[in-house]
Amino acid sequence: MSSSSLSAPLSNQPSGGDSTRESILELKDVYHRWKGPKPPVLDDVSLTLRAGEVTWIGGRNGVGKTTLLRLAAGILLTQRGSVSIGELTPRSKGGLYRRQIGFLSAGDRSLQARMRVTQQLDYWGRLAYVPRQRRAALVADSMRRFGLEEFADRRVDRMSMGQRQRIRLAMAFLHEPRVLLLDEPRNSLDDDGYQLLNQQIEQAAGRGASILWCSPRGEDRVIACDSSFTLTEGRLERVG
């Protein structure tokens, strides 16, 4: 994994990184338009996520980054175009497809306020179809990796915003997915949390996962990435 600058000028290509690496997730000519007179948020967007590579997409709030991630995760279905992981698609084999994905959504919608941290992660493991005999070990390991061990028995609604973000990250990484889709992963993280996030992204890339993360803009401290894009008026433009 290289630490490309987010501002390095490169030709506008729909897929980045080393083309000799295995393609994991493919978006081809994806189109999405919400109801109303506004133009499409995604207009024939194509992107290839490859094994062991980290991709960044930036753009202002409301430009369609979250929509793109939700389509890639199979939470939304494409209006036109296709999304696939090998032979799996959200339409034909949605359950199997989504098991390959670790998804971090912005905000608290994925958290159950009255659950304790261990319960929240175990619940998420069940949703990800982690076998019962593996779940406890993966929950414990995920808490360790994101510095949550001392909060194992604390209720989610009694955690700080930064601690809740760590919980959401632990959920996304829990089942060691082939693809990680991270919506503003640095939100509310302190320096220690940011360092843990970087370490886990590097480890995931090292085991061959594909990582796509989005943020509103390029920041002075960025997660190392192999390919960088901006989303503007429904189209991806490569910037690094």
Side-chain angles (χ1 to χ4, degrees):
M1 181 176 62
S2 64
S3 53
S4 306
S5 166
L6 294 185
S7 60
L10 287 178
S11 60
N12 182 17
Q13 296 294 330
S15 59
D18 183 355
S19 61
T20 64
R21 294 191 180 190
E22 177 191 6
S23 299
I24 303 295
L25 188 148
E26 299 252 10
L27 296 93
K28 294 182 179 179
D29 301 325
V30 171
Y31 176 94
H32 194 87
R33 181 173 186 161
W34 298 110
K35 291 182 179 179
K38 293 184 178 180
V41 292
L42 300 173
D43 191 1
D44 293 338
V45 168
S46 295
L47 182 67
T48 299
L49 302 184
R50 301 187 185 279
E53 293 188 349
V54 181
T55 303
W56 173 81
I57 296 177
R60 60 178 174 77
N61 288 327
V63 77
K65 302 184 303 296
T66 296
T67 300
L68 186 150
L69 287 179
R70 289 171 67 85
L71 286 163
I75 297 169
L76 290 176
L77 295 179
T78 56
Q79 296 170 346
R80 192 171 73 212
S82 64
V83 178
S84 62
I85 297 175
E87 299 298 318
L88 303 176
T89 73
R91 291 183 183 277
S92 64
K93 297 181 179 179
L96 286 173
Y97 179 92
R98 285 186 286 274
R99 290 179 211 178
Q100 315 300 311
I101 303 288
F103 182 67
L104 171 74
S105 63
D108 275 351
R109 287 174 294 180
S110 57
L111 298 180
Q112 305 296 315
R114 295 182 179 274
M115 282 188 176
R116 302 187 186 278
V117 174
T118 305
Q119 293 173 322
Q120 173 72 65
L121 293 175
D122 182 76
Y123 172 70
W124 195 256
R126 293 201 305 270
L127 293 180
Y129 299 95
V130 175
R132 183 177 180 180
Q133 61 271 25
R134 293 190 61 214
R135 214 158 50 229
L138 287 178
V139 166
D141 185 57
S142 195
M143 285 195 297
R144 176 191 60 78
R145 288 186 285 147
F146 284 97
L148 293 166
E149 291 171 298
E150 63 181 292
F151 308 111
D153 294 323
R154 185 177 295 184
R155 275 179 33 168
V156 170
D157 59 0
R158 295 176 182 171
M159 303 284 277
S160 70
M161 292 299 293
Q163 290 164 348
R164 291 183 192 182
Q165 183 73 346
R166 292 194 191 200
I167 296 171
R168 286 190 288 269
L169 287 165
M171 290 159 56
F173 283 76
L174 176 69
H175 57 296
E176 299 181 342
R178 296 181 69 196
V179 179
L180 281 156
L181 304 172
L182 309 177
D183 196 359
E184 301 186 27
R186 292 188 53 203
N187 267 4
S188 303
L189 290 180
D190 58 14
D191 287 344
D192 289 341
Y194 172 65
Q195 185 175 3
L196 289 171
L197 171 61
N198 269 334
Q199 290 172 354
Q200 294 311 310
I201 286 179
E202 287 185 7
Q203 290 181 20
R207 65 173 170 79
S210 299
I211 300 99
L212 172 62
W213 68 282
C214 294
S215 67
R217 58 192 176 275
E219 295 159 316
D220 55 345
R221 293 184 306 165
V222 297
I223 297 167
C225 58
D226 299 280
S227 303
S228 309
F229 300 84
T230 57
L231 184 60
T232 307
E233 297 181 350
R235 294 187 176 274
L236 279 182
E237 178 182 358
R238 186 170 178 182
V239 294

